């Protein structure tokens, strides 16, 4: 069974350290892991299998788990990045519609939908639901 070192990093997340096999995992722990970070050796199989929310991992005295609120924040940031070019395109369409005197109702509605897309993350209850959220 593969063992890894886990410890709390300066951002409050979890860092992992894997031995290359040249020296024992215990030697890596003593040599390379910062002190006072709660470092311990665990089986790789005991860590969350889903790396989509690696930055939301948190550890306590016995386990590592995904902090759901942090996972929501990660998802919201991803959705914001996905919607940025779409909002920019809608801005261009809006300007063109204004210049030509065309109706802007549909454009305004789409821009609002894009702005509201991050609210979808607040309605989820599972990590799978967060992963499935998309802007388009």
């Amino acid at each position: 069974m593969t063992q890894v070192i886990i410890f709390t990093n300066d951002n409050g997340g979890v860092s992992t350290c894997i031995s290359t096999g040249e020296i024992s995992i215990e030697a890596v722990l003593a040599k390379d892991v910062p002190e006072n970070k709660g470092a311990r050796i665990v089986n790789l199989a005991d860590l969350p299998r889903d790396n989509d929310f690696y930055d939301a991992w948190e550890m306590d005295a016995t386990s590592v788990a995904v902090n759901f609120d942090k996972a929501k924040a990660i998802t919201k940031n991803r959705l914001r990045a996905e919607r940025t070019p779409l909002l920019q395109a809608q801005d261009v369409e809006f300007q063109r519609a204004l210049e030509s005197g065309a109706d802007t109702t549909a454009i305004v509605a789409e821009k609002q939908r894009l702005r509201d897309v991050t609210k979808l993350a607040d309605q989820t209850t599972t990590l799978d639901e967060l992963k499935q959220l998309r802007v388009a």
Side-chain angles (χ1 to χ4, degrees), residues 105-118:
T105 305
I107 298 167
V108 170
E110 176 61 5
K111 287 176 69 170
Q112 188 61 52
R113 184 194 72 81
L114 291 169
R115 283 194 290 278
D116 290 343
V117 75
T118 56

Side-chain angles (χ1 to χ4, degrees), residues 2-9 13-19 25 28-29 32-48 54 57-65:
T2 303
Q3 291 187 309
V4 298
I5 300 165
I6 60 171
F7 59 94
T8 302
N9 59 38
V14 176
S15 290
T16 57
C17 184
I18 301 172
S19 172
I25 193 89
V28 172
L29 178 63
D32 293 331
V33 178
E35 292 183 26
N36 302 323
K37 296 290 183 176
R40 63 182 185 270
I41 298 170
V42 299
N43 291 321
L44 181 61
D46 294 335
L47 297 177
Y54 179 78
W57 285 14
E58 289 183 346
M59 60 185 266
D60 60 22
T62 60
S63 66
V64 174

